[in-house]
Amino acid sequence: ELCCEDNGNGGTFSATNFGNAMKVYEKMRLPRTAEILQRGKAWGKSQQKRATNEKFNEVKEELIQRDVFFHETMTHLCPGAKYDFKKDIAEVLENEPVLLPLIEEDG
């Protein structure tokens, strides 16, 4: 909606509100990527422990297989695998007004 003008064919890109669109995107992206980074750090610690502890590795391997069986991915990857950008952007635009530049029409 911020960068698309409806022309009946799904819209045409318009750069008029591109700056505002990027502000909205950054506001959404920062908390999400921070969560992913934290999950990545935890995964790295787990991988390091698996490399140094054979018994832990055996148990963890079994848990990973169960995760993949039940969730079709590893649980720490679920937020990325299940993320619905379209739904998230709709909620952000609905709950937080975005100031758009005034467009003057001649005539």
Side-chain angles (χ1 to χ4, degrees):
E1 291 179 6
L2 289 175
C3 291
C4 215
E5 295 175 358
D6 188 9
N7 64 5
N9 292 327
T12 302
F13 177 76
S14 170
T16 305
N17 296 312
F18 188 75
N20 288 327
M22 290 299 93
K23 288 177 186 174
V24 170
Y25 174 75
E26 284 297 304
K27 189 171 190 171
M28 293 169 55
R29 183 184 72 82
L30 292 174
R32 184 169 175 263
T33 54
E35 178 187 353
I36 291 169
L37 177 61
Q38 292 305 314
R39 288 174 177 269
K41 288 178 181 179
W43 190 14
K45 287 179 184 177
S46 176
Q47 291 296 88
Q48 183 61 39
K49 191 170 182 182
R50 287 179 68 191
T52 58
N53 185 325
E54 189 174 325
K55 186 65 178 168
F56 179 82
N57 184 41
E58 290 174 17
V59 172
K60 190 66 175 173
E61 189 64 33
E62 178 70 27
L63 293 174
I64 289 171
Q65 289 176 7
R66 288 180 186 187
D67 258 3
V68 173
F69 178 80
F70 287 110
H71 304 287
E72 298 180 352
T73 188
M74 296 169 65
T75 52
H76 65 275
L77 299 176
C78 282
K82 294 181 179 182
Y83 182 68
D84 186 345
F85 182 79
K86 189 174 183 178
K87 178 182 173 190
D88 197 16
I89 192 73
E91 289 176 5
V92 168
L93 292 176
E94 181 179 310
N95 296 324
E96 298 183 29
V98 178
L99 299 176
L100 302 177
L102 292 175
I103 299 173
E104 295 183 24
E105 293 183 22
D106 294 334

